[in-house]
Amino acid sequence: MSANLKYLSLGILVFQTTSLVLTMRYSRTLKEEGPRYLSSTAVVVAELLKIMACILLVYKDSKCSLRALNRILHDEILNKPMETLKLAIPSGIYTLQNNLLYVALSNLDAATYQVTYQLKILTTALFSVSMLSKKLSVYQWLSLVILMTGVAFVQWPSDSQELNSKELSAGSQFVGLMAVLTACFSSGFAGVYFEKILKETKQSVWIRNIQLVSFSLEPSL
């Protein structure tokens, strides 16, 4: 049962990630009359949905009691300002990252973006080694080298890219590449920093996410 659930979760994650990238790319390149929506607006809506989902999960964990929910939020967030402030750094970085992803998808095709963005695995591994003192095996380092090689091949100029030159100029491709690379580094650092905070405290991941999203909403508005 656990094995089936694991593969089901993996399939749902792959579908969600792929559909998200294609939807974002389509929405950013759709040609229609009127101004295009602001990426900051999409980020704010996504963050609002996240905080609503986290609050519902905390509500469920508190046995569906509004009084217990209010007490938990008050005790864990308002009464612990220093613990809450720890999330200011990763929340700001995540906000920057989310906006950069829209910039990247506006200037890169979906396939190039998706493959290049996998460099966040490399940056996460490097930050894990430096910040959490994790040790990677030889096979893990070899996998990271293969990942870097694959991304380099994707960025290598080819004849097929000439067909896309009418839609994407060299300048816009450079902007998209820089945006996705910056997002990779910000994702790796913020993810490892958030993991470090979770390991140092006993607060639930849902409470930490509420704190994280609360800070993320302020610079996005």
Side-chain angles (χ1 to χ4, degrees):
M1 181 64 181
S2 59
N4 294 332
L5 182 60
K6 177 175 65 176
Y7 290 117
L8 177 61
S9 301
L10 178 61
I12 294 175
L13 179 62
V14 171
F15 175 78
Q16 183 267 335
T17 304
T18 306
S19 59
L20 175 63
V21 171
L22 293 176
T23 303
M24 289 172 62
R25 169 64 181 169
Y26 176 77
S27 66
R28 298 301 290 177
T29 58
L30 181 64
K31 296 180 179 179
E32 61 179 8
E33 297 182 0
R36 182 189 300 173
Y37 70 89
L38 297 175
S39 60
S40 58
T41 302
V43 172
V44 168
V45 173
E47 295 302 313
L48 287 174
L49 292 175
K50 287 180 185 179
I51 197 170
M52 290 172 60
C54 290
I55 291 175
L56 286 176
L57 289 169
V58 175
Y59 175 70
K60 179 178 178 297
D61 291 341
S62 59
K63 299 180 180 180
C64 300
S65 171
L66 289 176
R67 181 175 297 179
L69 172 64
N70 182 65
R71 186 181 67 254
I72 291 174
L73 295 179
H74 188 272
D75 293 342
E76 297 295 335
I77 298 178
L78 297 180
N79 286 350
K80 297 180 179 179
M82 297 307 299
E83 290 295 324
T84 303
L85 281 174
K86 290 182 180 179
L87 277 300
I89 295 177
S91 64
I93 295 175
Y94 276 130
T95 302
L96 172 65
Q97 170 196 331
N98 290 333
N99 283 279
L100 285 175
L101 295 183
Y102 281 95
V103 175
L105 276 170
S106 301
N107 295 279
L108 294 174
D109 60 270
T112 302
Y113 161 85
Q114 185 72 334
V115 175
T116 307
Y117 191 46
Q118 298 313 306
L119 279 177
K120 65 182 180 179
I121 300 174
L122 172 64
T123 59
T124 301
L126 295 177
F127 282 118
S128 296
V129 171
S130 60
M131 297 174 61
L132 301 178
S133 300
K134 287 188 176 181
K135 295 183 179 180
L136 301 181
S137 65
V138 176
Y139 291 106
Q140 289 174 322
W141 283 113
L142 180 60
S143 300
L144 293 175
V145 172
I146 295 174
L147 173 64
M148 291 178 60
T149 305
V151 173
F153 275 123
V154 169
Q155 297 298 332
W156 194 268
S158 62
D159 295 337
S160 60
Q161 288 183 341
E162 296 179 0
L163 299 176
N164 298 327
S165 60
K166 296 181 180 179
E167 298 180 1
L168 299 174
S169 64
S172 64
Q173 289 180 343
F174 178 78
V175 171
L177 179 60
M178 290 298 101
V180 74
L181 289 178
T182 305
C184 287
F185 278 95
S186 63
S187 174
F189 175 80
V192 173
Y193 186 91
F194 188 54
E195 179 182 353
K196 185 177 182 180
I197 291 177
L198 289 176
K199 290 182 176 180
E200 293 176 349
T201 59
K202 297 182 179 180
Q203 289 178 310
S204 70
V205 65
W206 310 126
I207 292 294
R208 282 304 191 182
N209 272 288
I210 292 174
Q211 296 170 328
L212 188 69
V213 174
S214 299
F215 281 109
S216 298
L217 286 173
E218 293 182 9
S220 298
L221 294 174

